[in-house]
Amino acid sequence: MAISTLQKLTSQIHRLPSLSSQILTRSSATLTSSPSSSKKVADRLVKLFAIDPEGQKREVVGLAGQTLLRALTNSGLIDPDSHRLEEIDACSAECEVNIAQEWLEKLPPRTYDEEYVLVRNSRGRILNKHSRLGCQVVLTPHLQGMVVAVPEAKPWDIP
């Protein structure tokens, strides 16, 4: 039964020249646009550098529009299980990073929520002006070459 239905649909498509030409045009456009879509991804690449807890400088690659947390997680510098990516309401500052001075002014200021989470999790220490939440820093082409430091896991984060 399914085969006969498929054959009927196929014959109807061939009888409607405008419909069959639209299908061919769309599939051709999809095939020809594939190389350009990879070029668009290359245009969105943002390369930055992270200083890991051992002091080693590592190149990190992310995409414009992606969070710094996502890029650091994809590079293995932050454990993905330690943070619910991009959810500030669930954030406990495991994604706290330190941004190099020359890059601070290229970032938008901390939001009230980000400031609140950082202060809440500072546990009595003075809040570092370089501290940002990786889940709240959105990568842009202007951040190409940015340097961030990933601190050691907090004692309560270690399994």
Side-chain angles (χ1 to χ4, degrees), residues 16 18 25 34 43 55 59 61 64 72 74 82 88 90 98 101 108 112-114 134-135 141 148 150 152-153 156-157:
L16 297 170
S18 63
T25 304
S34 294
D43 291 343
E59 184 178 72
V61 178
L72 293 170
N74 290 345
S82 70
I88 187 100
N98 293 305
Q101 177 64 39
Y112 173 81
D113 290 336
E114 182 179 8
C135 65
V148 302
V150 179
E152 291 184 37
W156 56 86
D157 293 343

Side-chain angles (χ1 to χ4, degrees), residues 137-151:
V137 176
V138 178
L139 298 178
T140 66
H142 295 82
L143 299 178
Q144 194 79 252
M146 180 172 67
V147 179
V148 302
V150 179

Side-chain angles (χ1 to χ4, degrees), residues 3 19 37 42 81 124 133 137 148:
I3 295 175
L19 181 60
S37 64
D81 295 333
L133 296 176
V137 176
V148 302

Side-chain angles (χ1 to χ4, degrees), residues 2-77:
I3 295 175
S4 65
T5 305
L6 185 59
Q7 289 173 338
K8 286 179 188 176
L9 287 172
T10 304
S11 66
Q12 289 176 352
I13 288 174
H14 289 296
R15 279 190 241 144
L16 297 170
S18 63
L19 181 60
S20 61
S21 67
Q22 285 178 350
I23 291 171
L24 289 175
T25 304
R26 285 187 181 166
S27 58
S28 300
T30 304
L31 290 174
T32 57
S33 67
S34 294
S36 65
S37 64
S38 64
K39 182 179 178 187
K40 289 180 183 177
V41 170
D43 291 343
R44 292 181 52 212
L45 289 179
V46 178
K47 292 181 183 177
L48 50 120
F49 298 96
I51 310 300
D52 67 19
E54 289 79 39
Q56 299 297 314
K57 189 175 185 178
R58 296 178 47 184
E59 184 178 72
V60 175
V61 178
L63 294 174
Q66 192 178 56
T67 63
L68 176 58
L69 173 62
R70 176 77 63 188
L72 293 170
T73 301
N74 290 345
S75 334
L77 287 165

Side-chain angles (χ1 to χ4, degrees), residues 87-105:
E87 293 182 25
I88 187 100
D89 295 335
C91 188
S92 58
E94 291 93 355
C95 64
E96 182 178 347
V97 296
N98 293 305
I99 308 291
Q101 177 64 39
E102 61 271 16
W103 294 97
L104 282 176
E105 57 209 34

